[in-house]
Amino acid sequence: MTSSQPQPATTHVPPATLDRETIVAFLGSIFDRRGGEEYLGEPVTMGEHMLQGATIAEQNGQPEEIIVGALLHDIGHFTSEFGTYHPDDTEDRHHEDAGAEVLERFFPSVITDCCRYHVAAKRYLCATKPEYFKRLSPASVHTLELQGGPMNAEEVAAFEANPNLKEIIAVRYLDEAGKREGMETPDFWHFAPMVQRMVDRHCGVSD
Ligand SMILES: [Fe+2]
């Protein structure tokens, strides 16, 4: 690892100090400190789930936007880390919006949309791809109803107008794929340089 790459954070970086230079190390520290937390109803931890999606995307030669989108799509489960937690929040209702809100300062819209719309994408695919429903885990089927069930025709048309539709759908499939008990993956720091490239792209820094 060269000095230009993000380094693992040894302490909890206060949210107020987050900037282009510190966001990647901060995200990594969340994976390191809290990745072992339970992913309710699934046979993997939260960290394993997101790392599996990113790893499968990388193994399949998918672009960095999709790898990073998969890596960060559930970061909304950790928004208390960013000081944006509100006592009225419930994770099931808001984690995709909360996650996108903390990411949008640092990442291009393709990444934040993969986060913001990963729940909507499930509702979209259930409405448009009958075979998709079979991929859902029992926990995901249960939350589908809480999330509003399959989209209606009007919602489908609105969803298809998103310019990042292809990436959003790709990350949704990785969300389903990343629930494999015992799958080996690299840790967050393997992906850190590409996460930093996404941040630099959004913040107008070229390497
Ligand atoms: Fe997920």
Side-chain angles (χ1 to χ4, degrees):
M1 191 177 276
T2 69
S3 60
S4 64
Q5 290 179 338
Q7 301 292 315
T10 52
T11 55
H12 188 145
V13 180
T17 71
L18 287 178
D19 60 19
R20 188 185 68 77
E21 307 277 338
T22 56
I23 180 65
V24 180
F26 183 67
L27 290 167
S29 82
I30 295 175
F31 275 76
D32 286 349
R33 289 180 290 107
R34 300 191 53 189
E37 291 181 13
E38 189 181 3
Y39 185 14
L40 212 59
E42 305 292 358
V44 289
T45 65
M46 286 305 310
E48 286 168 344
H49 170 58
M50 295 196 281
L51 287 165
Q52 286 185 12
T55 300
I56 294 164
E58 186 173 51
Q59 287 170 348
N60 291 343
Q62 292 190 281
E64 290 194 348
E65 288 87 347
I66 291 174
I67 299 171
V68 175
L71 183 69
L72 300 178
H73 79 276
D74 267 338
I75 202 70
H77 287 288
F78 302 108
T79 45
S80 59
E81 295 280 339
F82 295 83
T84 54
Y85 173 78
H86 189 276
D88 292 339
D89 283 354
T90 68
E91 280 195 350
D92 273 351
R93 220 173 42 211
H94 295 307
H95 82 275
E96 65 275 26
D97 289 329
E101 278 167 30
V102 299
L103 294 177
E104 66 191 357
R105 242 176 87 199
F106 305 103
F107 290 92
S109 69
V110 62
I111 304 292
T112 52
D113 277 1
C114 287
C115 178
R116 181 173 279 118
Y117 297 116
H118 77 271
V119 172
K122 178 168 78 169
R123 298 184 55 232
Y124 170 76
L125 286 167
C126 284
T128 57
K129 302 260 187 298
E131 74 283 3
Y132 169 79
F133 185 80
K134 288 188 257 150
R135 291 171 181 252
L136 296 180
S137 64
S140 203
V141 170
H142 174 71
T143 52
L144 172 66
E145 290 314 313
L146 300 175
Q147 291 155 349
M151 285 183 173
N152 62 35
E154 205 175 306
E155 291 172 316
V156 164
F159 195 70
E160 287 178 342
N162 190 307
N164 297 315
L165 179 69
K166 188 170 57 120
E167 290 84 0
I168 294 166
I169 298 301
V171 166
R172 184 66 224 186
Y173 277 107
L174 292 161
D175 196 351
E176 256 60 72
K179 297 174 181 176
R180 299 180 189 170
E181 200 171 354
M183 178 185 167
E184 293 283 335
T185 71
D187 65 13
F188 175 89
W189 304 104
H190 167 79
F191 298 103
M194 74 173 77
V195 178
Q196 187 68 56
R197 280 194 286 280
M198 290 295 117
V199 172
D200 289 349
R201 192 171 103 187
H202 181 64
C203 298
V205 178
S206 56
D207 48 346

